[in-house]
Structures are given as C-alpha cells and as structure tokens.
C-alpha cells in the first residue's frame, strides 16, 4: 500500500518569511530550520550552497548560509528519505519508498533523483536503497533491498561490483536499516556500518572501510556498548563524523569523530546532553551540519557548527619520531641510521609548520625510501610496514589539504578580479498582484561574474510549479511573464504562489496571489 505523507509543506509559508536572519551562534552552532518538525539524515552539497534533509516523508533543502527551506518532493505521494547530493550538486538522490506490507516492512524501493533547479525526476535503480556518490561522480554505492550487501555501480561502463556481505553471519534489526555510507576523498574506499563480533561473544555495529575495487574490509570503530551509523568523511580524509547510538537506548544519540591518523574516536560535543546526530561535513571541512533539538523546541532541527578539532598530522609524525628514538635507545637500531630517519621527519614537520606541504611530502617520501632500504636488515618487516603505513596516511592527508588550500586561496593580483557590488541582484514584486491570468516579474542583474540566475514558481506547499529562468544573464534589467500555467502547460488553480530568485549567494522570495 502507498503511505500518505504528513501535510508538512504548509509550514513553508512561515519559513518563506525568513531570509538569512540566523539565530545567534552558540558553542553548538547556528540553527537553520525552525519549522518544529523532526528532521532526518543531512547532506551538505559539494558546492557548499545547500543542506538537504528528510522531513515527514519528503526531501527538503535549505541554503547553508540560512534562508527558506524548499520541499523538493512535495508532488510525490509516496515516502521519500535518505537524501544525498550528486557530485555536481544539481540533483538530490533519495530512497523513494513505494510499497510496504501490513507490518510496515519495505517491499519495494526506487533509488531516484530530482533536479533542485528544474524539478526533473528520474529513476536510478529499482529495489536498492541508500545512495552515496563518489566525489568524481563516477561511482554509486548502494545496498540491495532486503539484504545487507553493498554494491558499487560504475556509471561509465554500467558495470556493478559486489563489495561486501554486511550480514557477517548475523543480521541485526533487519537489513538496510541505517547502513548509510560515504566515499573517502580519493574515491578508493567507502565507509559504512557493518556487523562485527565483540570480545564477549556478542555482536555490535561499527564503521568499516571497504575497498571499491575489491579487497579485505578494515574495521575502524568498536564501541561495544554503542552502534555507529551515518558516517561522513572530511574532504582531506583525516576525520570521519558518525553517530553513536547507545545499544540499550536508541534515544541516546551523539555525534563522534574518528581520526584516521591517530585511530582515536572522541565526542564532538562532550558537554551536550540533548540528542544530536546525522552530521555532514562542509566541502572545505571547516564546518559541519547536524541535527539537534532546536531553540525552545522539542523537534530536531538543522544546525551548522564549526568543526572543533585540529589536524593530527604533526602529532602523528612526532609519535613516529618517538618510536624511532626508542629503537635507537634500546640498541635495536644504529644511531646514525636512526638520526637520518628522524632528520627527515623533523624536516617534514618544519615544512608543515611553514605551510609548505609539497616540501613536507618530499621529505616523507624520502623517509619511506630509506625505510624500504632497511626492511629485513635493520628494521623488521612489521616495523617497516607500520612506519610506511603511517606515513602513507599522513601524505594522503597532506595532499588533500594542499588541494583544499589551493581552492580556498584568493586570486592573486594578476588574476581577473571579481567585481563586488553592494546589491548585485534584485527581485521586484510582480505586477499586477493579485493577478488574473498573467503577471510580470522583473529582476535586475548588476554582477558581471556570470552567476546562473534561477527563477522558479512554487505553490503553497513548497512544490515546484514552473521554472521560468535558468541561465546566465549579463548585467541589465529583465522581465518575464508568468501566464499562470505549470511546467506541463496546464492552468494552475487560484491561490497563493511564491516567486523565488537565486543567483550566487543571492536569494529572495515574493508572495503572489492568483485570483479567478
């Protein structure tokens, strides 16, 4: 049977009156949503502009800097959940739950996606759940419906690779329940929740790293009194955000982070006592969005906070320096060889502190070459593998951090300067208003930065009615006529509608009234 949605979209009327006036930030971040409805499963878009979330059987998204939430699936009758952005940030993928049995067990599910600018809906896969796109947009990780098995679809050659059996002899709480996944920044692994056996003979759920191209999975976390769900990897690959669920009380949920260098887990908000979960990193890794109880509200709302931890790259190298010193002190390693190894590590730390990642990587590669030369001679195979494994992780993190630094560096003086104007865009109230049967919408473009201008019409539920403009505009004054028809050419009924303009960081919505 089909499941009806809650009439949640009506709350958009109130939210459309709110633009960018965020609540005062606290140690726990800034609240973005205020519609007193429990939210589920956040995802931050790769371009940094949007945060998607599930709410009452619909998929919503909200500007990451604050603004009016949009219900992108209001026209879909069945339940929709588990949103995740495509690599180009233009579409949101989601689980389109179709048919349940009398016990509310999911019998069929469609993986679908919808364009947030045009509202175009398209099918991805049948009988699959929980998408995760690789950063290069090539691979799609998903679970087969009714199993705990993970697969990856290569969209270039349309081939599917089996990754892992998530059951591990035991299927806890039914397959597919909360086993979301994410790709590491290099797209070589997915991080997901899988079963494992504990030391006392029981079983639990922890985070695992699975090679996309095949190979043994690696267990990352093992809090035996907790289950770990909803992983998201930082852009540099150093951190993994996840939610800890107390096994004896699923009402107790808290966000943790796992450091891939130190292999240590810690709570993000150790002093926060209320429920908080479902975290997702911003594209630059400096912030994250998550769900927690809103201000003066008993419902889960979307928050954005600064990521509070410093990189552990230098501590990881310093720890390795201590280990080499211990070998020298115990006479297990010649002092001259030990000093040569330590010198390269020290030089890498100096380069990191000066912000010279490339120089640091060169020193660390030289360290690896020297360790390889000592393998089986002055260093045991296990010691060599340990040292090289640690430094390879450090190099991967440094490489990604260097890439992010290049993206975030302002243009130099020789580069073409971006022209900044106080009000690069404006949207005027439609005229006439009220109207019948058509009205004119005018807007101004002052910017020369070639931002795409988006002009959409929404109904009172937040459902996209029609896309009027979706293209780059040169500076000037523009007008477009809406004839009171939807995207299929049908006449819409009388009522309240909203015209929303977006361009770059600009966003404005005007209320319109169609009378008959």
């Amino acid at each position: 049977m089909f499941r009806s949605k809650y009439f949640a979209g009506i709350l958009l009327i109130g939210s459309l009156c709110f633009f960018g006036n965020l609540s005062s930030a606290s140690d726990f971040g800034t609240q973005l949503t205020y519609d007193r409805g429990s939210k589920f499963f956040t995802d931050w878009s790769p371009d940094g502009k949007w945060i998607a979330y599930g709410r009452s059987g619909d998929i919503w998204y909200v500007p990451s800097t604050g603004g009016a939430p949009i219900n992108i699936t209001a026209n879909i009758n069945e339940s929709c959940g588990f949103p995740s952005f495509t690599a180009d940030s233009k579409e949101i993928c989601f689980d389109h739950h179709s048919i349940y049995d009398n016990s509310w067990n999911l019998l069929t599910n469609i993986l679908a996606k919808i364009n947030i600018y045009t509202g175009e809906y398209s099918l991805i896969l049948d009988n699959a759940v929980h998408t995760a796109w690789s950063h290069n947009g090539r691979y799609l990780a998903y679970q087969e419906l009714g199993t705990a098995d993970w697969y990856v679809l290569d969209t270039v050659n349309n081939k599917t690779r089996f990754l892992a059996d998530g059951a591990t002899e035991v299927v806890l709480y039914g397959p597919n329940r909360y086993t979301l996944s994410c790709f590491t920044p290099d797209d070589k692994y997915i991080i997901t929740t899988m079963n494992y056996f504990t030391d006392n003979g029981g079983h639990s759920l922890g985070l695992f790293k699975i090679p996309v191209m095949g190979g043994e999975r690696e267990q990352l976390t093992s809090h035996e009194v907790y289950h770990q769900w909803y992983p998201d990897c930082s852009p540099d690959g150093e951190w993994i955000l996840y939610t800890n669920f107390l096994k004896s009380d699923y009402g107790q949920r808290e966000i943790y982070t796992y450091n891939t260098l130190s292999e240590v887990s810690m709570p993000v908000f150790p002093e926060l006592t209320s429920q908080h979960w479902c975290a997702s990193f911003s594209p630059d890794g400096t912030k994250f969005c998550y769900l927690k109880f809103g201000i003066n509200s008993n419902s889960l709302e979307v928050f954005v906070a600064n990521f509070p931890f410093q990189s552990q790259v230098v501590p990881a190298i310093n720890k390795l320096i201590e280990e080499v010193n211990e070998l020298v002190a115990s006479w297990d390693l010649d002092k001259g060889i030990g000093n040569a190894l330590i010198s390269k590590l020290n030089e890498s730390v100096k380069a990191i502190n000066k912000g010279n990642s490339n120089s640091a990587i060169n020193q660390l590669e030289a360290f690896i070459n020297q360790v390889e030369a000592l393998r089986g001679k002055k260093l045991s195979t296990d010691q060599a593998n340990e040292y090289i494994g640690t430094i390879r992780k450090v190099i991967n993190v440094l490489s990604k951090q260097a890439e992010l630094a290049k993206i975030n560096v302002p243009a130099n003086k020789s580069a073409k300067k971006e022209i900044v104007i106080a009000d690069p865009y404006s949207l005027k109230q439609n005229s006439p208003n009220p109207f019948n049967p058509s009205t004119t919408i005018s807007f101004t473009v002052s910017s020369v930065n070639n931002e795409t201008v988006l002009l959409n019409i929404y109904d009172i539920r937040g459902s996209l009615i029609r896309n009027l403009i979706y293209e780059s505009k040169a500076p000037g004054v523009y007008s477009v006529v809406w004839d009171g028809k939807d995207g299929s050419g049908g006449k819409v009924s009388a009522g309240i509608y909203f015209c929303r303009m977006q361009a770059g960081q600009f966003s404005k919505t005007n209320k319109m009234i169609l009378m008959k």
Side-chain angles (χ1 to χ4, degrees), residues 43-55:
D43 189 40
W44 204 313
S45 65
D47 64 7
K49 294 181 179 179
W50 313 105
I51 294 171
Y53 59 93
R55 182 186 182 279

Side-chain angles (χ1 to χ4, degrees), residues 410-417:
N412 58 38
K413 294 181 180 180
S414 63
K416 180 180 178 180
K417 293 184 178 180

Side-chain angles (χ1 to χ4, degrees), residues 293-466:
F293 284 119
I295 300 170
N296 300 321
S297 170
N298 289 324
S299 64
L300 286 166
E301 303 290 353
V302 179
F303 280 70
V304 168
N306 292 323
F307 187 67
F309 300 105
Q310 299 294 320
S311 174
Q312 296 299 297
V313 167
V314 171
I317 297 174
N318 286 336
K319 182 180 178 182
L320 199 51
I321 291 173
E322 292 177 4
E323 292 180 7
V324 175
N325 272 322
E326 289 175 2
L327 284 180
V328 172
S330 62
W331 300 92
D332 290 332
L333 185 64
D334 180 81
K335 186 176 181 180
I337 295 174
N339 287 342
L341 290 172
I342 291 171
S343 174
K344 292 178 175 60
L345 296 177
N346 279 328
E347 289 301 316
S348 71
V349 171
K350 291 178 183 178
I352 292 169
N353 290 333
K354 292 179 180 179
N356 193 338
S357 297
N358 289 332
S359 177
I361 291 172
N362 289 337
Q363 292 291 336
L364 294 174
E365 290 285 4
F367 173 87
I368 288 176
N369 291 337
Q370 189 166 356
V371 170
E372 285 288 6
L374 297 172
R375 181 192 294 272
K377 301 173 183 177
K378 301 295 183 178
L379 289 174
S380 69
T381 298
D382 288 344
Q383 286 172 333
N385 288 340
E386 178 189 346
Y387 292 173
I388 292 173
T390 297
I391 295 304
R392 283 293 178 204
K393 289 180 181 179
V394 169
I395 289 175
N396 288 339
V397 170
L398 284 175
S399 298
K400 284 298 178 181
Q401 289 177 353
E403 289 178 17
L404 291 170
K406 288 180 182 178
I407 294 172
N408 295 324
V409 168
N412 58 38
K413 294 181 180 180
S414 63
K416 180 180 178 180
K417 293 184 178 180
E418 179 179 359
I419 296 179
V420 180
I421 326 173
D423 295 302
Y425 304 97
S426 66
L427 174 66
K428 295 182 179 180
Q429 184 65 53
N430 63 299
S431 179
N433 191 40
F435 65 97
N436 179 15
S438 62
T439 186
T440 300
I441 302 165
S442 299
F443 61 93
T444 301
V445 175
S446 302
S447 173
V448 297
N449 295 316
N450 297 319
E451 295 279 10
T452 299
V453 175
L454 176 70
L455 197 67
N456 281 343
I457 306 297
Y458 298 89
D459 65 14
I460 198 171
R461 297 181 304 161
S463 176
L464 178 65
I465 297 299
R466 187 171 173 181

